[in-house]
Amino acid sequence: MPSPLPHEAPPRTQLAALCWRKGERGREVLLVTSSTGRWILPKGWPIGGLKPPRVALTEAWEEGGVARGKAQRRPLGAYLAVKRSAAGDDEPVRHEVYAIKVREALDAFPEAHRRDRLWLPPLEAAAVVQEDGLRDILVEFAREAAPSRP
């Protein structure tokens, strides 16, 4: 990602959870609906005193019902997307993505009343998200999970 010009402030950062589990057809990733109905990863703003992987786990619980999981310490990657502020302004936001291996997901979770959930193989998930950078991360995640072929 190119650095901002000297007169531009760096973009704010959100922490996203790429939650995955072993399904019947291999890896599946969790997508949730945004407030506008788009399919996204659970994500949120940094929380003072918590490390980024812990914040990603918190968002996975609140927005997706992931009750137990193990987050990687390092992000899988990051992407830029435009987020509309409460004032109606569009601003670039950097999304740092942490992989979380899901051990337990519950149907009752804090935002269950306002979010739909969907478990899909990573390549199918890549086909339904709108952000190019997130799509690239999902494609790469699928590639890493694919069995090696001689």
Side-chain angles (χ1 to χ4, degrees):
M1 176 173 76
S3 60
L5 298 174
H7 63 281
E8 292 180 356
R12 296 176 15 174
T13 299
Q14 285 196 310
L15 306 167
L18 195 158
C19 303
W20 68 276
R21 67 183 184 188
K22 290 264 184 176
E24 291 179 16
R25 301 182 298 165
R27 275 190 185 179
E28 298 175 329
V29 297
L30 174 68
L31 298 178
V32 298
T33 50
S34 70
S35 57
T36 61
R38 293 178 299 112
W39 290 107
I40 61 169
L41 299 179
K43 64 181 184 280
W45 300 107
I47 299 170
L50 294 183
K51 294 187 180 202
R54 181 69 193 129
V55 174
L57 276 167
T58 299
E59 296 301 327
W61 161 245
E62 291 176 357
E63 296 183 2
V66 174
R68 291 186 324 118
K70 179 163 178 54
Q72 287 186 336
R73 289 185 193 166
R74 293 180 183 219
L76 281 175
Y79 66 96
L80 280 177
V82 174
K83 186 168 184 81
R84 178 146 296 150
S85 73
D89 298 322
D90 288 343
E91 63 176 297
V93 175
R94 182 175 185 271
H95 296 85
E96 235 173 61
V97 179
Y98 291 84
I100 296 175
K101 183 170 186 191
V102 176
R103 295 186 175 140
E104 181 182 19
L106 303 176
D107 290 333
F109 55 95
E111 297 186 20
H113 64 285
R114 53 184 278 230
R115 295 194 189 267
D116 292 326
R117 297 190 293 190
L118 187 60
W119 289 95
L120 292 172
L123 289 177
E124 290 180 30
V128 300
V129 298
Q130 293 182 3
E131 292 93 354
D132 291 336
L134 175 54
R135 188 175 302 114
D136 294 344
I137 288 171
L138 289 165
V139 167
E140 183 60 27
F141 189 71
R143 217 176 267 134
E144 290 173 4
S148 300
R149 295 191 179 150

